[in-house]
Every structure is written in structure tokens, then in C-alpha cells.
Amino acid sequence: MAQRVVFIDTKPFWDFDYGPTHPLKMWRLKLTQELQRAFGLLEQVEIVEPRMATDEEVLVFHEPNYLEALASADEGIWLPSLIGYGLGTGDCPVMKGVYTASMLVAGASAQAAEFVLEGKAQIAFNMAGGLHHAMPNYASGFCYINDPVVAIYKLLQKFERVAYIDIDAHHGDGVQVAFYSNPKVLTISLHENGRYLFPGTGFESEMGEGEGFGSALNIPFMPYAGDDVYLRVFDEIVLPALEKFKPQAIVTQLGADALHDDPITHWNLTTHSYLRAIQAFKDMNLPWVALGGGGYNIANVCRGWTLALAIALDVDLPERLPEEWKQLAQKYGVYLDRLRDLRPTESTSVVRADTERVINWLKQNHPLLS
Ligand SMILES: [Zn+2]
């Protein structure tokens, strides 16, 4: 029998605008949801309207003075006092509704967690979520409220061990900070090496501290890494670590910026890697909160998250894209011919050697692998 899947409606976010020069386009959520609809996937989910997060839900991680500053920015008026909270930078501009939209994203992830926590759904999707860079007292990397952290705390009300797996091209730094000394939460992040990409962290030697030593697992990749090294890491590092940790629920951040031709990252992954990861999450057969994340090549976002929802629903999508959707996408200047990439990519010898080094180091030093 198909498992019940809840889908948090992204419509309330479609018109939210970071500004004309900002790479994060919220209308990507509209194009993605329309593609999911055109393929008939939304007929098979329960669509739920998002709600605002409560102060209590976000104060498990964020500091009260930061939340106050963010609330004061909701009118879209920047004041010099906000800059200390990372508000009003190029990455995290102050725009009208910034607090309302951020609390709605966080509320949506909290809702997703509630559905799986209460057993009302096996899988809950919040594509607007996955804002993994937000820190306790400052906004960072397009993220204002850390909704994955909110969702994980919610799941900890019932589950003893929760695994967070982040496949965005950027290191999931904010989530790692939240649980760095917490043995109940394993944070796994696969990302482009911090020497080459924001936020500059996520090295293999970051493994947690104190009681939580071993509860962080980082796998950095050199720029232009291909499917060959990614799939190897998945099989040799990620899956064995999850097997050892034995989570009772998972939260995934499914950023689509690790796919090839993203304008702000430098990876060379195809849908072969992406599908392998999503299928592995599905096969764990656990309560699963699936969040969105980065993705600045809009065509990749549309196909990545549509394929992810199809896997959650056990639906095998045809390769051909619905004509009505292609016409809509063209109005936005988005062109997509294939849902899946034809062939997996291969890495250069330099990338392969570096991944080999990381794999060996982790196998020798990480408590979940050694
Ligand atoms: Zn990213």
C-alpha cells in the first residue's frame, strides 16, 4: 500500500521577493509545484496550508534579541542596528514581509514534523524549507530562521534519535551548530569543500564535541566532483553511518544546487546521484520530513524536487515533460527538455584522489565508521 504523503502548499511563498539581483527566486517554487501538478503527483498527496511558527518553536535555537530584530525588519525598512544581526546584507536583504515569510517557512517545517510525529503521514514535504544557514543570532546565506532545526527539535519530542542528511552543495552549518554536542541528532552534510564555497566550513575533521562527538559527519568534495565519487561516498560513508546510528526519523535537506550548471556552485552531479540519494532516504522506511533548500538553476530545482516527490509516492514518471508546463516555464525563461540526465558524470583524477583521501580519513577517524 502506498504511504501517506503530506505536501505543504508553497503558494504563500510564490510572490515573496528577495530583489531583482538576488539569486534566490521564490517563483521557482511555483514552477516546481506546477510541474508536480502537471504530472498528476499532487492528486496523490494531502495538500496542507502552512502556518506561522510560534516564538516558542523558533526560540529553541534562535536568540530572543535576534527574533525581535527580525520582527522589527518586517516593514522592509533597514536600520543600522540590524547589520549586527546579518540583516541588510547582499545575501540577506531586508524586504517587506521578511519576518512573516521566515516564520511561515519555519511553521511549515514544524507542521511537516508534526504530521510524521503524530503518525498522520509517513512522509511530509516542505519545499519552501531547508534554510540551513540561519544562526542563533544572525541571518546568513539567504536564511533568516533555521527551519530544519525547528523540525528536528519537534521530532525529538517523540524520537530518541533523529538523522539530518543535507545534500545541498553548501555545508549545513547552522544545523550542525544546533546539534554539535547533542548525541540524539546525527547531522550529515555532503557539500562542496569550504575552501572553495560558502560558508567555508564542513571539513571532515568536524565530528561533534563532548557527548555529541561523532554526531556530525561531513563529506567535502572538490569543485566539479561527478557522480562516480558521490555514489561511492554514499555507499561507503553515508549509508553505513546511518545504519550504525539507527535513526528513528529522518529530516533531509534536498538542495538542488549540487546538480550541474548551477550558477553559484561548481558541482558536476546529475540526477543519477540525486535519485540515488532520494531513493536511499525512501528505502529507510522511516518517518521522513523532506525539505527543499538551495537551487539557483531553476530547471534543476523543478526536476529535482519533482523527481523527489515521485520517489516518495512510488511513481515512475515518464521522461517527456508536460507541454502545458513547458509553455508556462518558457514565460519565465526556463527551458527543460529532459527530466533525468542521460549519463552519469566522471570526475578528474585530482577530484578522485581527494575523495579517496576523505573516505580513508573518515573510515579511520569517525566514531560511526571506524
Ligand atoms: Zn546551497
Side-chain angles (χ1 to χ4, degrees):
M1 200 179 80
Q3 290 156 329
R4 192 144 170 249
V5 177
V6 155
F7 180 94
I8 314 283
D9 197 355
T10 65
K11 206 173 284 162
F13 304 103
W14 292 356
D15 294 327
F16 189 62
D17 192 357
Y18 277 67
T21 58
H22 199 284
L24 181 56
K25 306 293 183 198
M26 296 302 271
W27 52 261
R28 69 200 184 136
L29 295 171
K30 174 181 180 178
L31 279 193
T32 306
Q33 194 162 321
E34 290 298 343
L35 182 58
Q36 292 162 336
R37 180 188 311 285
F39 271 125
L41 297 176
L42 297 187
E43 290 157 24
Q44 303 174 53
V45 297
E46 180 186 346
I47 300 180
V48 174
E49 284 299 302
R51 65 159 170 88
M52 293 278 280
T54 63
D55 284 2
E56 198 187 356
E57 283 171 326
V58 301
L59 289 174
V60 292
F61 179 59
H62 292 286
E63 292 180 6
N65 54 356
Y66 169 65
L67 199 60
E68 268 171 44
L70 185 61
S72 76
D74 205 40
E75 283 302 311
I77 298 162
W78 183 78
L79 297 167
S81 61
L82 294 175
I83 203 74
Y85 297 105
L87 298 167
T89 63
D91 275 6
C92 297
V94 162
M95 58 289 203
K96 196 168 169 52
V98 62
Y99 167 80
T100 307
S102 301
M103 290 296 269
L104 199 57
V105 173
S109 291
Q111 263 176 310
E114 279 161 358
F115 271 97
V116 304
L117 182 75
E118 292 162 9
K120 293 179 184 163
Q122 169 93 3
I123 303 167
F125 261 79
N126 175 25
M127 292 197 305
L131 304 177
H132 57 172
H133 297 306
M135 289 294 179
N137 59 353
Y138 62 97
S140 175
F142 318 164
C143 306
Y144 301 83
I145 297 284
N146 200 313
D147 65 284
V149 171
V150 171
I152 293 166
Y153 268 111
K154 187 76 65 179
L155 294 176
L156 287 173
Q157 292 175 6
K158 176 175 177 184
F159 301 110
E160 296 269 312
R161 287 178 310 284
V162 176
Y164 169 77
I165 312 118
D166 186 321
I167 62 171
D168 191 284
H170 300 90
H171 176 226
D173 56 345
V175 187
Q176 176 174 297
V177 161
F179 301 107
Y180 207 54
S181 55
N182 188 335
K184 294 181 173 181
V185 181
L186 170 63
T187 61
I188 301 179
S189 182
L190 300 98
H191 47 261
E192 186 176 329
N193 192 309
R195 277 180 288 162
Y196 305 97
L197 190 70
F198 178 89
T201 51
F203 295 96
E204 61 274 16
S205 54
E206 296 166 31
M207 295 189 285
E209 65 187 8
E211 275 188 25
F213 181 66
S215 69
L217 174 57
N218 285 292
I219 307 108
F221 291 83
M222 294 277 276
Y224 307 106
D227 293 317
D228 52 350
V229 291
Y230 193 87
L231 294 169
R232 221 190 121 193
V233 161
F234 223 83
D235 287 340
E236 292 187 37
I237 301 292
V238 176
L239 295 179
L242 284 166
E243 204 153 295
K244 186 108 177 259
F245 182 72
K246 295 194 178 14
Q248 295 169 335
I250 58 169
V251 176
T252 60
Q253 201 271 20
L254 306 179
D257 51 7
L259 290 166
H260 60 85
D261 300 314
D262 190 278
I264 70 170
T265 72
H266 325 91
W267 265 18
N268 199 20
L269 300 185
T270 69
T271 50
H272 291 269
S273 286
Y274 199 74
L275 289 169
R276 173 78 181 93
I278 310 276
Q279 189 65 54
F281 303 147
K282 163 81 174 170
D283 291 345
M284 289 174 78
N285 202 22
L286 291 170
W288 174 18
V289 174
L291 305 173
Y296 309 94
N297 175 321
I298 310 288
N300 281 342
V301 172
C302 292
R303 62 188 184 146
W305 296 349
T306 298
L307 287 164
L309 185 59
I311 288 177
L313 289 164
D314 285 322
V315 171
D316 194 15
L317 292 178
E319 197 49 58
R320 203 181 156 83
L321 290 147
E323 207 49 50
E324 51 155 313
W325 181 83
K326 280 172 88 168
Q327 282 175 15
L328 172 72
Q330 277 173 22
K331 286 188 195 152
Y332 286 84
V334 172
Y335 299 89
L336 182 61
D337 286 328
R338 296 190 63 83
L339 196 54
R340 302 168 190 83
D341 290 304
L342 273 175
R343 275 175 292 278
T345 46
E346 290 190 9
S347 309
T348 62
S349 56
V350 175
V351 172
R352 280 204 306 274
D354 189 67
T355 306
E356 184 78 27
R357 177 190 66 75
V358 172
I359 288 175
N360 289 336
W361 193 91
L362 285 169
K363 282 183 178 173
Q364 281 165 21
N365 294 289
H366 198 286
L368 286 173
L369 297 161
S370 55

